[in-house]
Amino acid sequence: NAGVMQNPRHLVRRRGQEARLRCSPMKGHSHVYWYRQLPEEGLKFMVYLQKENIIDESGMPKERFSAEFPKEGPSILRIQQVVRGDSAAYFCASSPAAGEVTEAFFGQGTRLTVV
Amino acid sequence: RKEVEQDPGPFNVPEGATVAFNCTYSNSASQSFFWYRQDCRKEPKLLMSVYSSGNEDGRFTAQLNRASQYISLLIRDSKLSDSATYLCVVNIPRGSYIPTFGRGTSLIVHP
């Protein structure tokens, strides 16, 4: 039973390019959360998705960032026209159900470097 | 006020020491609490859930104080391998429940 899979593990983009980060949840999990972690900082919530639905995107920057979780395939976090400040580790987590008692399982993260 | 607050440390302790971390949360309607461990440049991994009655797992004990809105993690007989960042996580009700992280407390165990 594979865990949460994220790819790529490392991604280098030049300023102005697009970055696409992928997350395949654990088998049987239909809830996905994306977080961003800057160096020496905690994990900041970005967006919560269920299959084909964005449930909560209150942590997502209003511009350049988008997320989706299609019926088939992985969840995608997309960053358009990247800037140096987007350099961070992006973690995806999945859970089997929503609710107050659910614990989340994390992927290994994608480290984005904008040059 | 931040939703989940932790003292970032670092806590620098010798092997065998007992160390305790606290975490406070602002939303009294929060119901679920966890401690995660994060090693340098790795993903967070669940250490233990925190139950109302308190719970223990080997050298680790977690407690919840709802009246004061804080949770704690106690590590007894510290090992070198315990060196990591310990993240307090609270499922905050915001329409849906969102796992919300504290900044983390850094622990360094030295020989």
Side-chain angles (χ1 to χ4, degrees), chain B residues 54-111:
Chain B
N55 49 300
E56 186 174 310
D57 182 2
R59 298 182 293 109
F60 299 84
T61 300
Q63 301 226 317
L64 168 64
N65 184 320
R66 287 189 183 275
S68 301
Q69 293 179 208
Y70 80 78
I71 66 175
S72 64
L73 176 68
L74 182 77
I75 305 175
R76 291 181 298 278
D77 188 22
S78 299
K79 311 291 185 191
L80 295 177
S81 58
D82 293 334
S83 298
T85 297
Y86 291 83
L87 304 167
C88 172
V89 181
V90 178
N91 281 10
I92 305 274
R94 308 195 315 200
S96 301
Y97 283 89
I98 302 296
T100 303
F101 284 74
R103 185 181 170 182
T105 299
S106 176
L107 172 65
I108 301 169
V109 182
H110 59 82

Side-chain angles (χ1 to χ4, degrees), chain A residues 6 9 37 43 89 91 106-111, chain B residues 37-45 84-85 87:
Chain A
Q6 287 188 249
R9 293 285 305 279
Q37 187 174 33
L43 277 77
F91 289 100
F106 281 81
Q108 292 180 301
T110 294
R111 301 196 179 277
Chain B
R37 169 187 170 137
Q38 186 177 29
D39 292 282
C40 186
R41 302 183 69 80
K42 299 284 185 66
E43 76 274 23
K45 292 186 178 178
T85 297
L87 304 167

Side-chain angles (χ1 to χ4, degrees), chain A residues 38-91:
Chain A
L38 295 169
E40 308 303 323
E41 297 286 331
L43 277 77
K44 302 296 184 188
F45 167 74
M46 299 181 74
V47 62
Y48 164 40
L49 309 102
Q50 295 177 24
K51 283 284 186 180
E52 300 185 274
N53 287 301
I54 296 174
I55 306 302
D56 185 330
E57 56 182 347
S58 58
M60 194 98 98
K62 293 290 185 287
E63 297 178 352
R64 302 188 299 108
F65 286 72
S66 62
E68 62 177 5
F69 190 13
K71 186 176 180 181
E72 302 291 337
S75 175
I76 305 284
L77 179 67
R78 182 182 178 204
I79 311 173
Q80 294 178 290
Q81 299 174 339
V82 296
V83 301
R84 288 245 171 93
D86 297 332
S87 296
Y90 292 82
F91 289 100

